[in-house]
Amino acid sequence: MAVRAEAIVMGASAGALEALSTILPALPEGFRLPVMVVVHVPPDKRSVLAELFQAKCRIPVREVEDKEPIAAGTIYFAPPDYHLLVETDKGLSLSSDEPVLFSRPSIDVLFESAADAYGAALVAVILTGANQDGAKGMLAVVDAGGRAIVQDPDGAFAPAMPQAAIEMCPAARRMSLSAIAAYLQEV
Amino acid sequence: MTESLASEKIEDIEIRLLLEALYTRYHYDFRNYAMASIKRRLRQAREQLGFPNFSAMQESLLHEPSMLPRLLRYLTVQVSEMFRDPPYFQAIRDKVVPHLRTYPSLKVWIAGCSAGEELYSLVILFREEGLEDRTIFYATDISQDALHAAEAGIFTLDRIPLFTENHRKSGGKSSLSEYYQAAYGRASFDKSLRRNVVFSDHSLVTDAVFGEMHLISCRNVMIYFDRLLQDRALGLFEESLARKGFLGLGAKESLRFSPHAAAFADFVREEKIYQKRAD
C-alpha cells in the first residue's frame, strides 16, 4: 500500500540545533535515504551546520553545492542565503530568488520542489520554529501523496511552526523528537 | 499509483509548451533552465498575471507581444547586492589583482550583470587599485530591463547600508559614499564609473564568444541553468578567457560536476575563483 520512501526533507527554525541533534545522529550507518534539511540561518554567516553535524552523525553530511547529484544515505544542508530545490532528475539546485516568508533558505521552496520530484515517495518533517514556513510546503507534499510528520508542538522549543503545519495539514502525524528519530529509521 | 508512470503531469506539459512557445516566437530560450526554479517563477507569474493555467498564459504570450516583457520580468529577476560575499571581493583584490597588474590592458566580463550590483563593485575595486583606466568592462544580460537598470546605476537608499558594510568588509580602500549621490530615497552612482563599461545584450544560452577576457565574473547566474546549459556556458567562458585568465563563480557554485573542470585550476578554492590552465 504505502509507496516505498525514497527521500526525506526536513525543516527547522528556532531551536533547530537541539531538535536536529536528537534526530540526525540517530540515523544508522548504511541508512538508505537522502535527507535534505533547511534550517533558518542568518544570511551573512558561513554556515557551520554541516561541519557540526558531520562530527555527530554516522552518515555523510554536506552543505549543498549547486547541481550536486543526490546520493543515498547522505544529509544535505541548504547553504545560508540560498534556496535549496530538488530537480526531477534528483539533482539539487540552488537559487537566489527573493526570500519567501522572510526566509532564504525557505522550507516551503524545498518541500514544494521535493514533492514535485518524489511524489508519494517523500517523507516531510517539520520541527520547532517561530514562524509559518513549511506549512504550505507540507501541504504540497501531502497533495502529492507523501508522508507528513510534525514535531508535537507541545514539546517543541518554538511551537508556532509545527502548529501552522498541523493547521494546514490536519492529517500530518504528530510525534515527539525521539519518536521521529525512531520512525525515520523504519521508513 | 493510479497515474501511469509514463504520464507527464499536465502542468509540466503546459510549462514545456509555454517555454517552447517563448523560444519559437521570441527567441528567449529558457528550455534548459533548472526546472524547479523556473516552475516556481512561472507559477508566481501565472497567479499574479491572473491566468487560470499555463495554456491560457501561452495563448496570451503568442498573440499579445505586450505579454513578453511582463513575463520576462518574472523569469529574469535577479536579486543581488554590491560586494555580495565580501571575502570574494577581498580575494579578487588581494590575489587576482596582482596578476592583472602585469597586463597593459584588461578586459573584464560580468556575465549576467542584472541591475549592475556586481559590475559597480568591480569597477570601484578596480578604481581603488588603479586598474580602471586600462580596463574595459563588458556587462551583459539577456534582459533589457536589467541592462537599463545597470546603465542607470540607481539603487534604493535602504540598500546602501548593506552595500557600504559589504564594501568595507571586502577591504575597500575608499568610502562607498564617494561614488553616489543620495536624493529622494535613491542613490545614484556616478556616471564616471561607467566610462569604461560596455553594456550589451548577450545570452549565455544562444550567443557566442565576443572577446578575449582576463577576468570573467559570473555569480549566481548559472545556478538557474540545468547541467547541460551550465556546460555550454562554461565552455563559452573557457573559450573567452585568455591563457591564465580568471573565472569567478558564486559561493556555492562549483566546476566539480562539469566536464570543463579539467581546463581550470583552483585559484582561490574557498571563494570559487578559478584560473584557466596555460596549455
Side-chain angles (χ1 to χ4, degrees):
Chain A
M1 158 274 45
V3 179
R4 189 173 149 96
E6 287 174 23
I8 298 168
V9 288
M10 208 173 279
S13 189
L17 271 190
E18 208 190 327
L20 291 172
S21 295
T22 305
I23 294 173
L24 299 179
L27 298 174
E29 208 172 314
F31 187 68
R32 183 173 61 87
L33 304 181
V35 186
M36 278 69 80
V37 189
V38 162
V39 177
H40 293 156
V41 284
D44 55 336
K45 295 253 167 67
R46 299 233 160 183
S47 173
V48 293
L49 284 171
E51 274 171 57
L52 190 79
F53 279 96
Q54 185 61 86
K56 296 180 177 193
C57 290
R58 287 173 278 179
I59 61 177
V61 182
R62 302 190 35 81
E63 185 179 270
V64 173
E65 280 188 331
D66 182 55
K67 299 298 172 303
E68 186 156 354
I70 294 175
T74 303
I75 297 169
Y76 295 97
F77 279 100
D81 214 21
Y82 289 87
H83 293 305
L84 170 60
L85 302 98
V86 180
E87 298 290 343
T88 46
D89 69 358
K90 310 297 190 293
L92 294 169
S93 277
L94 300 176
S95 115
S96 282
D97 281 0
E98 300 272 9
V100 177
L101 297 172
F102 309 103
S103 303
R104 189 171 66 194
S106 145
I107 302 168
D108 282 341
V109 170
L110 171 64
F111 281 20
E112 286 171 15
S113 63
D116 268 344
Y118 287 103
L122 184 67
V123 179
V125 184
I126 287 285
L127 303 172
T128 169
N131 63 13
Q132 320 284 305
D133 191 16
K136 261 188 80 183
M138 183 148 262
L139 184 61
V141 172
V142 171
D143 285 347
R147 278 166 262 186
I149 312 295
V150 176
Q151 181 183 1
D152 193 334
D154 290 341
F157 174 84
M161 204 160 86
Q163 193 62 52
I166 289 168
E167 276 162 27
M168 187 108 43
C169 310
R173 296 172 62 175
R174 298 165 62 137
M175 295 185 193
S176 69
L177 287 177
S178 51
I180 294 172
Y183 175 85
L184 293 182
Q185 294 171 53
E186 304 295 314
V187 290
Chain B
M1 284 208 302
T2 50
E3 216 177 318
S4 136
L5 283 173
S7 87
E8 199 178 350
K9 285 185 204 138
I10 292 174
E11 189 190 44
D12 292 344
I13 298 172
E14 287 180 298
I15 288 178
R16 192 161 47 76
L17 295 174
L18 177 74
L19 295 180
E20 201 62 48
L22 182 58
Y23 176 64
T24 310
R25 175 92 166 84
Y26 302 104
H27 297 284
Y28 280 96
D29 193 353
F30 291 92
R31 295 172 301 171
N32 284 99
Y33 271 50
M35 212 30 73
S37 277
I38 208 95
K39 206 185 247 189
R40 256 199 99 73
R41 288 174 167 197
L42 282 173
R43 280 177 182 155
Q44 200 182 13
R46 185 179 63 68
E47 276 167 36
Q48 293 181 8
L49 296 173
F51 292 106
N53 54 53
F54 288 115
S55 302
M57 196 155 123
Q58 182 190 319
E59 186 190 2
S60 168
L61 181 71
L62 284 174
H63 294 286
E64 296 166 37
S66 67
M67 186 50 64
L68 176 68
R70 298 172 68 191
L71 178 59
L72 283 181
R73 222 156 281 158
Y74 288 92
L75 293 180
T76 58
V77 59
Q78 284 285 12
V79 194
S80 190
E81 305 161 9
M82 285 181 72
F83 298 96
R84 179 178 181 177
D85 306 318
Y88 171 82
F89 289 92
Q90 179 98 56
I92 296 276
R93 188 188 299 278
D94 295 346
K95 310 228 165 91
V96 176
V97 159
H99 289 259
L100 297 182
R101 268 190 214 296
T102 62
Y103 294 90
S105 72
L106 292 166
K107 287 182 177 171
V108 174
W109 179 12
I110 295 92
C113 68
S114 187
E117 291 90 341
E118 190 179 336
L119 166 69
Y120 286 99
S121 308
L122 284 171
V123 175
I124 289 169
L125 191 157
F126 273 54
R127 184 176 291 187
E128 287 173 336
E129 298 299 330
L131 291 178
E132 186 199 9
D133 289 340
R134 66 173 99 161
T135 305
I136 300 177
F137 299 88
Y138 297 90
T140 65
D141 205 282
I142 54 166
S143 158
Q144 287 299 333
D145 282 358
L147 287 168
H148 288 147
E151 202 156 1
I154 295 169
F155 303 94
T156 55
L157 217 44
D158 59 339
R159 303 177 70 197
I160 296 297
L162 176 65
F163 294 180
T164 304
E165 177 68 3
N166 283 349
H167 175 238
R168 194 189 55 76
K169 284 192 199 157
S170 76
K173 292 176 172 169
S174 55
S175 162
L176 195 66
S177 61
E178 292 170 28
Y179 304 101
Y180 64 83
Q181 295 207 312
Y184 307 109
R186 305 193 307 174
S188 178
F189 278 77
D190 196 280
K191 66 173 188 294
S192 72
L193 293 169
R194 294 186 284 275
R195 68 190 164 203
N196 293 342
V197 181
V198 177
F199 294 91
S200 174
D201 185 344
H202 182 276
S203 164
L204 297 173
V205 185
T206 49
D207 292 334
V209 173
F210 60 90
E212 193 181 58
M213 303 295 151
H214 300 91
L215 167 64
I216 298 174
S217 195
C218 182
R219 312 191 68 220
N220 301 315
V221 174
M222 287 190 292
I223 55 178
Y224 295 102
F225 296 174
D226 72 8
R227 289 183 58 183
L228 204 75
L229 196 47
Q230 287 191 349
D231 289 341
R232 186 196 191 274
L234 286 169
L236 201 58
F237 294 155
E238 186 194 334
E239 254 185 276
S240 301
L241 281 172
R243 285 175 71 243
K244 302 194 137 197
F246 298 92
L247 172 65
L249 302 179
K252 302 301 166 191
E253 294 178 280
S254 174
L255 289 182
R256 251 182 337 131
F257 312 114
S258 164
H260 293 284
F264 293 90
D266 285 332
F267 188 70
V268 185
R269 198 162 63 90
E270 56 280 19
E271 298 309 329
K272 303 297 158 65
I273 298 171
Y274 299 88
Q275 185 174 35
K276 186 175 160 180
R277 291 184 193 277
D279 39 282

